[in-house]
């Protein structure tokens, strides 16, 4: 099943985010290689594709996991969690409708 993983950034966490980004992307690339990643990306803190020092308010990942518990285990092991970038991680079952 697909799950939407929404990580919420801590205030002023841009420096930690940038430091942990290579390890974070490595895990996402593993999901991509396994054919389980639907989409992933950051949520800019301002209305701009490059928010500069304003940073990000979080990230969204939509990926396939066997269970919501597996999605939670994967999300809890994210380098952004370990680095203190995320203050909270929410996980929701996701049903893709479009594109078909």
């Amino acid at each position: 099943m697909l799950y939407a993983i929404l990580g919420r950034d801590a205030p002023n966490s841009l420096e930690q985010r940038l430091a942990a980004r290579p390890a974070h992307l490595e895990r996402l690339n593993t999901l991509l290689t396994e054919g389980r990643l639907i989409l992933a990306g950051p949520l800019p803190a301002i209305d701009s594709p490059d928010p500069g020092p304003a940073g990000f308010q979080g990230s969204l990942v939509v990926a396939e996991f066997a269970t919501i518990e597996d999605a939670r285990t994967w999300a809890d092991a994210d380098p952004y969690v370990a680095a203190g970038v995320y203050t909270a991680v929410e996980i929701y079952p996701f049903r893709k409708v479009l594109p078909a």
Side-chain angles (χ1 to χ4, degrees), residues 50-61:
D50 181 4
F56 300 90
Q57 57 186 325
S59 299
L60 174 65
V61 174

Side-chain angles (χ1 to χ4, degrees), residues 5-22:
I5 301 170
L6 180 60
R8 307 258 183 200
D9 281 22
N12 304 310
S13 61
L14 182 58
E15 187 174 317
Q16 295 96 312
R17 176 183 264 274
L18 294 175
R21 187 171 189 264

Side-chain angles (χ1 to χ4, degrees), residues 82-99:
V85 175
Y86 291 159
T87 59
V89 177
E90 301 166 48
I91 300 175
Y92 303 97
F94 183 81
R95 186 173 146 223
K96 182 180 175 198
V97 175
L98 295 172

Side-chain angles (χ1 to χ4, degrees), residues 31-44:
L31 289 178
L32 182 63
T33 299
E34 294 170 352
R36 297 170 45 205
L37 183 65
I38 304 303
L39 66 89
L43 306 170

Side-chain angles (χ1 to χ4, degrees), residues 24-40 61-65 74:
H24 172 77
L25 291 177
E26 183 177 325
R27 295 179 80 239
L28 290 170
N29 278 316
T30 298
L31 289 178
L32 182 63
T33 299
E34 294 170 352
R36 297 170 45 205
L37 183 65
I38 304 303
L39 66 89
V61 174
V62 177
E64 183 178 351
F65 294 92
W74 185 88

